[in-house]
Amino acid sequence: MAQEPQTFFDALAVRTWCSLALAALGRAREEIDAINVYPVADGDTGTNLYLTMESAVGAVEAVFAGHEAGPPAVRGPTLADAVRAMAHGALIGARGNSGTILAQLLRGMAQVLAADGETAHTDGRGLGLALRHASDSARQAVARPVEGTVLTVASAAADAAAEAAGGGDCATVARVAYEGARTALAATPGQLAVLERAGVVDAGGRGLVAVLGALVETFTGQTPGGTTGPASASVPHARAGHGGPAGSAHAVPGADAVHARVGRGVEHTEQAQSGGRTSAARGPAHPSAARAPAHPSPSPGDEGECGDGPQAPGKGGPAFEVIYLLEARDEAVARLRTRLDALGDSLVVVGGDGLWNVHVHVDDAGAAVEAGVEAGRPYRIRITHFGLGDVHTTGAERPVGERAQRAVVAVVPGEGLAGLYTEAGATTVLARPGEPPASGELVEAVRRAHAREVVLLPNDPDLRHTAAAAAAQARTEGIRVALIPTRSAVQGIAALAVHEPERRFDEDVVTMTSAAGATRYAEVVVAERQSWTMAGICQAGDVLGLIDGDVAVIGADIGATAETVLDRMLSAGGELVTLVLGDEAPASVADHLEARVRESYLAVDTVVYRGGRQGALLLIGVE
């Protein structure tokens, strides 16, 4: 849907810009992934930028939704409200080096635009100042910056904006910033030899050009560069043997250009000892491009540290990428920077006001996490292993792993269930209470499964539209995806139990769907507040039993409530009861329910799993 052009930079303009930037990064994602050759050719820069921006968009939309749900007399969000939400969303959702730097760029803008919390909008001068501070703060966040990266492109945009900000409006400032960034992007191959050899521009800088192109569209209503937009910005640097004939001007090379990620990431989980939450690591961003040319020997221009990470192909690099959010004081973060800089490279620490996003490449992932524990409270920890024969390795072309014929991707609510699903052969996406995965995370998991055919199990009715969007995106990449609308993890277990990769795809999907549909599901939770329910009024602290998504039982005791729920489910018959205990559920509950089934339902079997921190005290499935 076409966006109305904005005259000033106000809250609505922030909302429009974020939406347009997400769309622009979505269009350019595969192209950016494909040109990601520096510092680590892991083919995920476009994906990381997209996921970071998606998180920012979600935060901004939540602010607007909160105001729209309030009394009519309450005015909408201020500019400060919108930019703070944008910055916070990007910070907590930042992925990889490129996403972390983008988050700091947005935070730097927010610090200027939200300085006066009551200002309704800003003009061209204010926008220019925001772009300047964004560039400066991003450069300061990088341990060892180098030119020819996204930092160079951001600086050029800020320099150009400063020249126009004196008498220009927002549209003018945005346009000159975009053109300045575009010119700087075209020059990046001359600043980094690895880009020159590959005939590509810096991938992170390419993403920033797309974001700035969306800023131009916000104020003008037109995509810069004509109908093709920033995704086709021409870069006069493709050469013979590097993507085009000598002397020709070409668009940034796409998926058929130089480099797609080789090898598959090894999935890891890591948990801080101070209560940090576990998170599944990212795998390869895009398995569809299978060509990986050999890297020539590095030249001196490749050596150095940069905002996108310091390790150029041609030199052995650290084995792990470690990312986590960190609650810590400023002085503790200063010490953390020093320690992590000594442990590895590609260090970027962004944030402030007690909340930080930390990114580093290291050989000792445990030491990087321990450093965070000493500094404060790390959580949402992601550790990606680059793998044996990984992207740091040089030499002849390496064979890319053959795709599996079929895989299952499932969203699971707890670490215990994630382990169970993984043992059964599924690729999992961990959904923590109150933190549902975005569509981009599901697409990423589908790619990580590295299969021609994928069965997607959302295991949550609220994820139906998110999963459908992810399936649609994956299909555009040539992956055959079937979405089974599982509403609970116990339905997913039933579907996974009858999964047979050797069957025809359609038959397998029908069988799995039938098994999931034949499984009634329930959960036992604690009410957080007083509320009207199908079973009456509940008070905060009451134990609720939900059957097929509706509150059916209100009680005071976990065991008694769970027994009542189970009896109601089995009154309609059943052959197998599945119990999944959360961390906060007493162990005696499972024993009690197993005994109840043995005594009252002689032909019914029971199986018990530990779900970990799954939100609900207990999940129940009857099939």
Side-chain angles (χ1 to χ4, degrees):
M1 182 175 66
Q3 303 280 355
E4 289 293 328
Q6 306 295 314
T7 304
F8 295 103
F9 200 51
D10 57 9
L12 183 58
V14 173
R15 185 186 199 183
T16 302
W17 177 37
C18 288
S19 176
L20 290 172
L22 182 64
L25 289 171
R27 291 191 299 270
R29 181 190 58 75
E30 288 191 34
E31 171 195 335
I32 297 171
D33 282 348
I35 65 172
N36 177 198
V37 300
Y38 180 81
V40 176
D42 52 356
D44 63 357
T45 293
T47 299
N48 288 337
L49 289 169
Y50 180 87
L51 292 174
T52 302
M53 200 69 220
E54 185 178 50
S55 183
V57 168
V60 172
E61 290 300 322
V63 166
F64 273 85
H67 280 267
E68 290 166 1
V74 177
R75 60 193 176 97
T78 64
L79 172 62
D81 293 333
V83 295
R84 284 170 181 156
M86 172 187 72
H88 181 73
L91 177 67
I92 64 174
R95 299 295 189 94
N97 270 332
S98 53
T100 305
I101 292 171
L102 175 61
Q104 187 66 7
L105 288 167
L106 297 180
R107 176 179 170 80
M109 291 187 69
Q111 287 175 321
V112 171
L113 298 173
D116 181 356
E118 298 303 315
T119 300
H121 59 78
T122 192
D123 54 13
R125 179 177 178 277
L127 179 58
L129 291 174
L131 291 171
R132 174 80 277 159
H133 187 65
S135 172
D136 293 344
S137 62
R139 190 170 286 269
Q140 291 166 6
V142 176
R144 300 169 186 253
V146 141
E147 299 309 321
T149 68
V150 63
L151 299 178
T152 304
V153 177
S155 294
D159 292 343
E163 295 181 7
D169 57 13
C170 286
T172 301
V173 171
R175 188 178 294 108
V176 298
Y178 167 77
E179 292 297 340
R182 194 166 175 266
T183 300
L185 176 66
T188 56
Q191 296 170 298
L192 284 175
V194 64
L195 301 179
E196 172 112 30
R197 287 197 307 272
V200 298
V201 294
D202 178 67
R206 172 67 184 86
L208 181 58
V209 168
V211 172
L212 291 173
L215 186 63
V216 175
E217 187 176 356
T218 298
F219 296 116
T220 66
Q222 298 178 343
T223 305
T227 58
T228 54
S232 66
S234 60
V235 179
H237 206 86
R239 305 201 181 164
H242 297 296
S248 64
H250 279 256
V252 179
D256 289 331
V258 279
H259 219 100
R261 178 169 182 164
V262 292
R264 298 182 62 198
V266 179
E267 183 167 332
H268 276 254
T269 58
E270 192 75 24
Q271 186 175 14
Q273 298 174 359
S274 62
R277 290 173 285 183
T278 303
S279 174
R282 290 183 295 102
H286 191 268
S288 63
R291 288 165 296 282
H295 288 294
S297 299
S299 66
D302 292 338
E303 298 176 7
E305 313 247 347
C306 73
D308 283 329
Q311 190 61 46
K315 292 180 70 69
F320 297 96
E321 177 187 58
V322 179
I323 307 173
Y324 50 79
L325 290 179
L326 177 70
E327 294 177 358
R329 297 177 180 273
D330 289 5
E331 56 271 21
V333 172
R335 293 192 296 271
L336 175 66
R337 288 179 192 268
T338 301
R339 180 169 178 188
L340 291 180
D341 190 33
L343 283 175
D345 57 37
S346 200
L347 174 62
V348 186
V349 181
V350 303
D353 302 321
L355 180 62
W356 308 82
N357 191 303
V358 178
H359 173 283
V360 67
H361 291 178
V362 292
D363 280 319
D364 189 346
V369 175
E370 289 171 7
V373 173
E374 292 177 5
R377 188 178 80 89
Y379 60 102
R380 288 199 193 175
I381 301 166
R382 293 184 178 91
I383 299 176
T384 301
H385 192 292
F386 291 121
L388 297 176
D390 63 15
V391 294
H392 296 290
T393 306
T394 62
E397 180 171 345
R398 297 173 299 273
V400 178
E402 181 70 19
R403 284 194 188 191
Q405 180 60 34
R406 190 174 308 159
V408 176
V409 172
V411 180
V412 292
E415 297 92 338
L417 279 176
L420 174 67
Y421 272 74
T422 300
E423 288 177 8
T427 298
T428 61
V429 177
L430 193 61
R432 301 167 195 78
E435 299 178 17
S439 62
E441 293 178 81
L442 299 188
V443 173
E444 190 177 6
V446 170
R447 297 188 190 115
R448 193 170 73 235
H450 203 57
R452 298 181 181 89
E453 301 168 339
V454 171
V455 180
L456 182 57
L457 306 175
N459 292 339
D460 186 337
D462 293 335
L463 290 178
R464 179 166 55 93
H465 296 299
T466 300
Q473 173 64 36
R475 290 183 190 118
T476 66
E477 300 175 8
I479 304 171
R480 189 180 185 187
V481 181
L483 170 61
I484 297 179
T486 48
R487 302 169 66 86
S488 169
V490 291
Q491 288 189 327
I493 291 172
L496 197 56
V498 298
H499 169 55
E500 288 288 348
E502 292 76 19
R503 271 196 297 248
R504 287 197 311 109
F505 185 64
D506 291 340
E507 291 178 0
D508 198 30
V509 171
V510 168
T511 303
M512 295 175 71
T513 302
S514 178
T519 303
R520 300 189 68 196
Y521 66 96
E523 58 182 314
V524 177
V525 300
V526 175
E528 296 181 354
R529 58 185 180 278
Q530 184 185 60
S531 180
W532 289 89
T533 75
M534 296 287 289
I537 301 175
C538 71
Q539 305 295 327
D542 283 348
V543 180
L544 307 180
L546 290 80
I547 299 177
D548 294 337
D550 294 322
V551 176
V553 181
I554 301 175
D557 178 74
I558 297 173
T561 302
E563 180 179 329
T564 302
V565 169
L566 184 58
D567 284 341
R568 290 194 185 184
M569 297 177 75
L570 286 172
S571 66
E575 299 176 355
L576 177 66
V577 172
T578 301
L579 304 175
V580 184
L581 266 68
D583 274 353
E584 298 181 3
S588 59
V589 171
D591 296 335
H592 174 71
L593 294 179
E594 282 188 286
R596 174 68 177 172
V597 171
R598 281 196 306 269
E599 294 168 2
S600 303
Y601 307 95
L602 300 181
V604 179
D605 294 324
T606 305
V607 60
V608 180
Y609 301 111
R610 297 285 175 178
R613 286 167 291 183
Q614 62 186 20
L617 295 171
L618 176 68
L619 301 177
I620 304 174
V622 174
E623 53 186 297

